[in-house]
Amino acid sequence: MTTKSKLNILAMLMFALPFAAVAQSEKIESIRLGNMDHWMVREIKESFVIGGKTQYLYEITETKDTLKDNTPYKNKKSPWATSSVLATVSGITKGSVTVFPEKRDNGYAARLETRIEKVKVLGVININVLASGTIFLGEMLEPITDTKNPQSKLVTGIAFTKKPKALQFDYKVTTGGQSKKVNGMGSGTDANRTDKAEVQILLQKRWEDKDGNIHAKRIGTGWELMDKSIKTWQNKHRLTVNYGDISKQSYYASYMALRSGSNAYYTRNSKGKMVPIQEEGWGTADDEVTHLIVQFSSSNGGAYIGNTDSRLWVDNVGLVY
């Protein structure tokens, strides 16, 4: 080998080393219970006037005992909440099930389904409600007593201080049907949109004022809509977290906008009151992070909107650093 050839090889190795070092330094941290292998069963006995059926709801948690006696659930041992809920409306008890464990290899995955719940009691209540299957970091407040302002029934996000570069997860999806809005009597109205599965990761810096209002800056944003069905598992899929003001970027879409007013997520303030989280501006990559929002949904478009054929399977949720 000539001296020139040796020098060329040496130069190539020196050029490649920094990239190899970067690849080796990457770190994946599972979100606690994000492997979707730990579930608890809840046994809900519905009111006799609507049939008295027993519904089984499922929660992502390490607790293995079955929760009986129509007990409202509070996820003290898990960061995850689901859209499956116990509802008590006009004295009538009903269980709504939209999230299920599904066997996958030697463990489980979460299956999220968009479904319509129907409650009819002559002279008392007659309502059909569409709910998308959703899992999220936070808490669902039970029992649900009405269909008004659904975001106010969710504590959205958990305390968090890190800055991941991506959300990683396994998924497959069935989606793309015509959406309807269903919240009331009848079969609903055409929502004039095609249904999509939705995944989001948001990083916020939150603070509370003297009156108990919660304010926030959006530090990081990752948001993906899935409009095509994929029948085979897509493993280690990544959703990039983009930091700072993304509103002028080519990938920005209106659904990624700051959430405030009637569109705001909710949380508890220091007094224990549920209040909206008013996102008032974009932060920067140098700002501190106080909270993490991660959410997977089988449908998009807002409350009570979707297609009952929509499904999203999720497994192995983690953060990439």
Side-chain angles (χ1 to χ4, degrees):
M1 182 181 294
T2 66
T3 301
K4 184 177 180 181
S5 297
K6 291 179 180 179
L7 288 173
N8 286 340
I9 292 171
L10 181 61
M12 289 171 65
L13 287 171
M14 291 177 65
F15 181 75
L17 279 173
F19 291 92
V22 169
Q24 291 171 359
S25 67
E26 188 174 82
K27 183 180 179 182
I28 313 295
E29 286 186 0
S30 176
I31 295 178
R32 193 161 71 88
L33 302 177
N35 60 7
M36 301 298 156
D37 288 341
H38 303 276
W39 297 80
M40 179 182 70
V41 180
R42 304 172 57 195
E43 197 173 280
I44 304 298
K45 184 71 173 178
E46 297 185 335
S47 295
F48 177 76
V49 293
I50 59 171
K53 187 168 68 172
T54 299
Q55 288 271 29
Y56 294 96
L57 280 61
Y58 306 92
E59 303 292 346
I60 304 164
T61 179
E62 292 171 338
T63 305
K64 295 181 179 179
D65 295 338
T66 299
L67 189 64
K68 298 183 178 181
D69 303 320
N70 292 359
T71 305
Y73 174 71
K74 183 175 175 62
N75 53 333
K76 295 179 180 179
K77 296 184 178 180
S78 171
W80 294 98
T82 79
S83 54
S84 295
V85 294
L86 166 66
T88 305
V89 182
S90 300
I92 297 165
T93 298
K94 171 76 176 162
S96 174
V97 193
T98 52
V99 175
F100 303 83
E102 183 173 295
K103 192 71 177 172
R104 184 190 181 202
D105 299 328
N106 295 322
Y108 290 87
R111 185 178 79 247
L112 319 181
E113 298 188 1
T114 299
R115 309 179 95 188
I116 293 177
E117 295 291 350
K118 301 177 180 181
V119 182
K120 184 176 182 179
V121 180
L122 191 64
V124 179
I125 188 172
N126 184 1
I127 189 170
N128 300 326
V129 177
L130 182 144
S132 62
T134 300
I135 59 174
F136 63 99
L137 297 179
E139 181 186 347
M140 177 71 76
L141 305 183
E142 287 192 345
I144 301 298
T145 57
D146 58 58
T147 61
K148 300 173 184 175
N149 194 4
Q151 287 296 342
S152 67
K153 284 116 172 128
L154 282 63
V155 176
T156 301
I158 60 173
F160 186 82
T161 58
K162 296 181 180 181
K163 295 179 180 178
K165 68 178 186 180
L167 177 71
Q168 180 171 290
F169 55 95
D170 303 345
Y171 82 96
K172 60 180 181 177
V173 62
T174 300
T175 193
Q178 195 64 29
S179 289
K180 280 189 172 184
K181 182 170 185 177
V182 183
N183 181 24
M185 297 174 63
S187 59
T189 58
D190 192 339
N192 297 315
R193 64 190 307 144
T194 300
D195 202 17
K196 301 175 180 66
E198 183 172 40
V199 183
Q200 57 179 279
I201 173 172
L202 307 178
L203 298 167
Q204 294 178 324
K205 177 184 178 181
R206 297 182 190 173
W207 66 95
E208 183 174 340
D209 66 25
K210 61 182 178 59
D211 298 317
N213 300 308
I214 301 294
H215 310 267
K217 281 187 177 182
R218 175 84 64 80
I219 310 302
T221 306
W223 215 307
E224 183 173 4
L225 300 183
M226 300 171 179
D227 61 355
K228 292 183 176 61
S229 295
I230 301 176
K231 295 182 179 181
T232 57
W233 280 99
Q234 306 299 300
N235 296 329
K236 297 182 180 179
H237 178 75
R238 289 189 177 183
L239 175 56
T240 299
V241 178
N242 297 290
Y243 286 85
D245 183 355
I246 64 170
S247 62
K248 303 296 190 298
Q249 301 299 322
S250 59
Y251 54 79
Y252 177 79
S254 59
Y255 53 82
M256 302 178 187
L258 300 174
R259 299 182 71 99
S260 61
S262 62
N263 197 37
Y265 288 134
Y266 274 67
T267 192
R268 282 194 190 92
N269 65 13
S270 62
K271 301 175 178 63
K273 181 182 177 182
M274 289 295 293
V275 295
I277 307 161
Q278 301 291 355
E279 287 191 319
E280 299 176 345
W282 302 93
T284 71
D286 295 326
D287 285 329
E288 68 173 328
V289 171
T290 65
H291 286 81
L292 168 68
I293 294 171
V294 171
Q295 184 168 298
F296 298 86
S297 295
S298 56
S299 294
N300 77 314
Y304 315 121
I305 295 175
N307 183 292
T308 53
D309 291 331
S310 294
R311 305 283 185 272
L312 175 63
W313 289 260
V314 179
D315 200 5
N316 297 324
V317 184
L319 300 169
V320 185
Y321 295 92

